Amino acid sequence: MTAMLPYGRQSIVEDDVAAVAEVLRGDWLTTGPQVQAFEDDLAGWTGGVGCAVVSNGTAALHTAYAAAGVGPGDEVVVPPMTFVATASSAVALGAKVVFADVEEETFTLDPAAAAAAVTSRTRVVSAVDYAGHPADYDALRQSLAGSDALLLADAAHSIGATYHGRPVGSLADLTTFSFFPTKNLTTAEGGAVAATDPAVLERARRFRNIGLVRDRAEQRWPDEGGWHQEVHEFGLNYRLPDVLCALGRSQLRRLGDFLAARERLVRRYDEALADLPGVLLPARRSGARPAWHLYPIRVLDGRRREVYDRMRAAGIGVQVNYIPVHWHPAFADLGYRRGSCPVAESFYEQQLSLPLYPGLTDPDQERVVDALAAALRGVPVRSAA
């Protein structure tokens, strides 16, 4: 029986296991020295922009929006081609989500659509680095001219990517990362918020820790003793424990190798699929170096479902990323309608992610290519059995 190839997979080595085991044998399992050390290590990939680590990627978005002051009456502009949490975490704070369409080719937030969506109530404009490709942040900055809105980069796919030589993490006012197992590095579950404004970063750190204020200089009431702490604004427990930060630090030391492996696999896909009829390959914007979390092809002529089913039956774990957010029933119940973002919706109807992860072998990648070609020809695909 040939194993099912997943579309993404973590890479764990003995150094990762040893890093976790060392913390398990120590005194700290929750918030301890590995947390600050992981945040410092992450700043080495964000151009020195400070980071706050949190329990997962959705928590990172929720924390970032809270740190930006998002609340009832505010609007948050979001592209629909993303995981639902980019929008739902803003709704959880009482904001209204305004969907803006994506660009052709890279399927990241269209600066013109973003500019048209911004109003006096806009608190945040959230770009998504779809598939690991940085959005056009220079143009997005221009689209916010005259607005007080903050620019957020949902970089769940793109840690380690660069845009005109500048690293993701330094391109927007706020940046969020995810360290889920299929991402470019993992802490099992985990995420982080980067903020260029130290005051916003401090609000993020406080929000992830229940809102607790321990600094006596900032406390409002007389000191009750060494245990004294206060909550001035509500937060949540989104802390990432020491044991997982140790795993993240170990993974981060291999991020450069992970990115290089993904880039090599993308080149091989590009070469193998260049002349295959019935599909379009992912594009790159000039000046961008993607992190390639996904390899998203477009299957033409209305055949995406057919090709998906054939490849899955052959043991190839293709995936679709993503159902447009405004199509989810929770948003439909709020009055959002299909047809409002035609570029994203058209892309969704064609999109198919091929397996891509550092441990994908050349023979396995060739198996993916052969299965795709057979599925497009409409001939039986070799079974996984």
Side-chain angles (χ1 to χ4, degrees), residues 34 36-46 245 248-250 252-253:
Q34 292 294 326
Q36 182 65 60
F38 187 30
E39 291 175 345
D40 292 344
D41 291 349
L42 284 169
W45 286 89
T46 62
C245 287
R249 295 186 71 200
S250 180
L252 201 58
R253 286 191 281 273

XYZ file of all heavy atoms in Angstrom, residues 34 36-46 245 248-250 252-253:
143
model
N 12.272 30.615 27.649
C 12.230 30.293 26.221
C 11.283 31.217 25.452
O 11.444 31.403 24.249
C 11.801 28.839 26.027
C 12.816 27.816 26.508
C 14.099 27.833 25.697
O 14.090 28.077 24.492
N 15.213 27.578 26.350
N 10.794 34.611 25.836
C 11.533 35.803 25.412
C 12.605 35.453 24.389
O 12.833 36.188 23.413
C 12.175 36.476 26.626
C 12.935 37.756 26.293
C 12.045 38.866 25.778
O 11.135 39.295 26.478
N 12.292 39.328 24.557
N 13.254 34.297 24.578
C 14.307 33.894 23.645
C 13.731 33.635 22.250
O 14.343 34.001 21.230
C 15.018 32.645 24.172
N 12.552 33.010 22.192
C 11.913 32.762 20.896
C 11.515 34.074 20.233
O 11.704 34.271 19.020
C 10.703 31.858 21.094
C 10.040 31.386 19.821
C 10.762 31.197 18.650
C 8.677 31.104 19.803
C 10.145 30.752 17.481
C 8.045 30.664 18.647
C 8.783 30.484 17.487
N 10.991 35.001 21.019
C 10.620 36.306 20.468
C 11.847 37.035 19.924
O 11.788 37.660 18.854
C 9.921 37.134 21.535
C 8.551 36.600 21.887
C 7.861 37.325 23.025
O 8.555 38.078 23.748
O 6.643 37.138 23.212
N 12.960 36.946 20.638
C 14.199 37.569 20.165
C 14.671 36.912 18.866
O 15.123 37.600 17.935
C 15.291 37.470 21.225
C 15.001 38.329 22.452
O 14.137 39.224 22.365
O 15.628 38.088 23.497
N 14.574 35.583 18.807
C 14.988 34.872 17.596
C 14.103 35.258 16.402
O 14.585 35.451 15.284
C 14.910 33.360 17.810
C 15.958 32.837 18.780
O 16.880 33.598 19.131
O 15.840 31.662 19.194
N 12.805 35.375 16.641
C 11.892 35.768 15.566
C 12.233 37.153 15.023
O 12.145 37.399 13.812
C 10.450 35.747 16.063
C 9.802 34.366 16.223
C 8.483 34.487 16.980
C 9.565 33.716 14.857
N 12.631 38.049 15.915
C 12.974 39.403 15.482
C 14.151 39.404 14.509
O 14.309 40.338 13.719
C 13.278 40.281 16.693
N 14.950 38.357 14.552
C 16.028 38.229 13.575
C 15.525 37.990 12.166
O 16.253 38.203 11.192
N 14.252 37.565 12.024
C 13.653 37.337 10.713
C 12.686 38.445 10.310
O 12.161 38.426 9.187
C 12.922 35.991 10.699
C 13.846 34.829 10.654
C 14.403 34.160 11.714
C 14.347 34.187 9.476
N 15.214 33.143 11.283
C 15.204 33.130 9.911
C 14.160 34.375 8.113
C 15.857 32.287 9.010
C 14.813 33.543 7.224
C 15.656 32.516 7.668
N 12.423 39.379 11.212
C 11.480 40.462 10.915
C 12.183 41.805 10.751
O 11.529 42.846 10.807
C 10.426 40.591 12.030
O 11.086 40.929 13.256
C 9.636 39.301 12.205
N 7.874 26.983 22.765
C 8.835 27.991 22.298
C 10.202 27.356 22.044
O 10.918 27.753 21.111
C 8.950 29.122 23.321
S 7.514 30.210 23.356
N 9.968 25.884 18.740
C 10.019 26.942 17.738
C 11.426 27.452 17.501
O 11.825 27.702 16.361
N 12.198 27.604 18.574
C 13.578 28.078 18.416
C 14.411 27.078 17.619
O 15.220 27.469 16.757
C 14.214 28.308 19.784
C 13.569 29.411 20.602
C 14.369 29.664 21.865
N 15.640 30.319 21.538
C 16.704 30.320 22.337
N 16.669 29.667 23.495
N 17.792 30.958 21.980
N 14.215 25.800 17.902
C 14.939 24.774 17.160
C 14.536 24.772 15.689
O 15.383 24.681 14.790
C 14.669 23.408 17.799
O 15.359 22.384 17.114
N 13.300 27.300 14.022
C 13.711 28.553 13.395
C 15.146 28.482 12.889
O 15.499 29.125 11.899
C 13.533 29.702 14.387
C 13.416 31.116 13.824
C 12.254 31.228 12.846
C 13.248 32.110 14.966
N 15.968 27.682 13.554
C 17.355 27.538 13.104
C 17.432 26.849 11.742
O 18.460 26.945 11.057
C 18.160 26.762 14.151
C 18.488 27.576 15.391
C 19.507 26.878 16.282
N 18.919 25.831 17.102
C 18.368 26.020 18.295
N 18.309 27.236 18.818
N 17.885 25.002 18.972
